[in-house]
Amino acid sequence: KIVLSPQRPLRFGFALGLDFSKRGDSFAKFISLTKPKLEFAQRAVVALVSAVQIASFCVTPVTAPHIPAELHGAFTFAKDLGFTHLSMHVSFEHVYYTTVGFVLVFVITMLGHESLETAAFLWPGRKSCKYGWLVAKSYLELASTLFFVSVFRTLLRGLDCTYVESGAGRVMSLDALATSPIVSVDWSESGSGSFATSTVVGLQCWEWKHTVKYGIPSILGLVAFGCLSFRLLLAGSDLSALELEVTKWYDCRRDGKKPQPRVHPLSLRSPSLGTATMLTKMTVSTAEVLLTNYPVVYAVAILVTSATLVLVSLSKAPYHGSIPNQCQRGLQMALLCCACAQFVVTVGAWHRHSDSVVF
């Protein structure tokens, strides 16, 4: 039976205009039992990819100095799904502005989902509204989970600067437009040669060109993408539970939670682990940029964040069933073991080569 549901408890299932209670309890039970399985499978894939991404940050030049190039490329791809590799073969500028456009679409979709939800409610027979809502929900969820490290790390690279030596002295250069050494050979009359190197600065940081092209877009993108992703994950990735206003996009007091008439063992119980995982991705991505020359401090940061994930998974069970919770905790424990191994190897290397490895 086609009915119109009230405006306040509107959700995607209700936006389709289906009243399950009038169609029989068997169909409603089938929906309530199948949907948690699909959502759990999706969350399991996201959790596995997130764990691999965080674990790939443990592979550094200190922990694996002689890693083969093929294996190093695999870890780099796992870290940000190939965004860094793509920027080396295409152009960092193209990858960067594609990412900025991705974040802009993300923000517009988050702020405009209320209008799409209202349209799906007012015109339940229009398939464009239904499919538009489904596409928007899937896009926002994938952007805030699977592609979070890729987007966040690319925006951070627009702010990653290092002092380099050039002909004019020490200059702060943007690492993404990497300085390239030019080697020339000066031959003497006796036939001997000497190598001369010079450094080409791709873009000097915090001048007007860098500030306008990379600095301001990176700062605005990091704040908007990080805050809105955190708010979406805090609601359990349930877009219909958000009450977003353009003027008060930071206010989450009106956000609700969809009631669950039937609780499945695979149903989500607490979104705490999801938000903690997102904060961990932010921490390790930022630490990789800021603590490159301090490997011990970097290892401590990854160890602390990995231990925090284990504590969150133990204190707030993400699912209602014990078996999925145990699988999730096992995944976090494996990640903690990787962080411990990185810490031990880094500290050992620091003790052996205290002059070459900076604390």
Side-chain angles (χ1 to χ4, degrees), residues 35 51 75 97 99 153 157 170 195 202 207 218 221 228 234 245 274 307 315-316:
K35 186 180 178 182
F75 280 112
Y97 283 108
T99 305
R153 193 165 178 263
R157 292 183 66 195
R170 296 191 67 192
F195 292 94
E207 289 189 344
S218 291
L228 292 178
L234 195 62
E245 296 182 8
S315 60
K316 296 199 179 231

Side-chain angles (χ1 to χ4, degrees), residues 18-20 23-33 262:
L18 299 177
D19 186 5
F20 294 135
R23 297 185 56 140
D25 186 67
S26 59
F27 183 72
K29 185 177 180 180
F30 172 78
I31 293 296
S32 62
L33 292 179
R262 292 180 176 85

Side-chain angles (χ1 to χ4, degrees), residues 139-355:
Y139 169 76
L140 294 175
E141 190 168 356
L142 288 175
S144 59
T145 52
L146 287 179
F147 293 99
F148 183 83
V149 173
S150 305
V151 174
F152 196 83
R153 193 165 178 263
T154 303
L155 294 176
L156 275 176
R157 292 183 66 195
L159 303 174
D160 185 15
C161 301
T162 305
Y163 281 106
V164 297
E165 296 292 340
S166 66
R170 296 191 67 192
V171 178
M172 183 176 284
S173 173
L174 184 65
D175 284 353
L177 303 178
T179 59
S180 55
I182 300 178
V183 180
S184 60
V185 182
D186 297 330
W187 297 97
S188 62
E189 296 180 355
S190 60
S192 61
S194 62
F195 292 94
T197 61
S198 62
T199 304
V200 177
V201 179
L203 183 64
Q204 190 169 348
C205 288
W206 301 118
E207 289 189 344
W208 69 270
K209 190 175 181 180
H210 171 262
T211 303
V212 173
K213 292 183 64 175
Y214 296 101
I216 295 177
S218 291
I219 294 174
L220 294 179
L222 289 171
V223 173
F225 183 66
C227 292
L228 292 178
S229 297
F230 179 80
R231 186 170 175 182
L232 180 61
L233 292 176
L234 195 62
S237 298
D238 184 10
L239 185 61
S240 57
L242 299 180
E243 296 291 340
L244 276 171
E245 296 182 8
V246 178
T247 57
K248 296 181 179 180
W249 54 271
Y250 52 86
D251 188 5
C252 59
R253 291 176 296 179
R254 296 175 57 191
D255 295 348
K257 187 178 181 181
K258 182 167 60 177
Q260 298 180 356
R262 292 180 176 85
V263 176
H264 194 275
L266 301 180
S267 299
L268 185 66
R269 182 178 183 179
S270 173
S272 300
L273 184 60
T275 55
T277 302
M278 193 209 75
L279 293 176
T280 299
K281 293 177 180 179
M282 292 178 62
T283 303
V284 297
S285 300
T286 307
E288 185 190 31
V289 173
L290 299 180
L291 302 176
T292 304
N293 298 326
Y294 305 93
V296 176
V297 182
Y298 174 70
V300 171
I302 294 184
L303 181 62
V304 171
T305 52
S306 301
T308 303
L309 284 179
V310 174
L311 293 177
V312 171
S313 63
L314 291 175
S315 60
K316 296 199 179 231
Y319 302 102
H320 288 276
S322 59
I323 296 180
N325 287 329
Q326 292 175 0
C327 294
Q328 186 67 55
R329 290 164 185 167
L331 190 62
Q332 305 306 325
M333 290 298 297
L335 180 59
L336 180 60
C337 291
C338 293
C340 291
Q342 181 206 9
F343 178 76
V344 172
V345 173
T346 304
V347 172
W350 174 61
H351 279 291
R352 290 193 305 268
H353 309 285
S354 58
D355 294 334

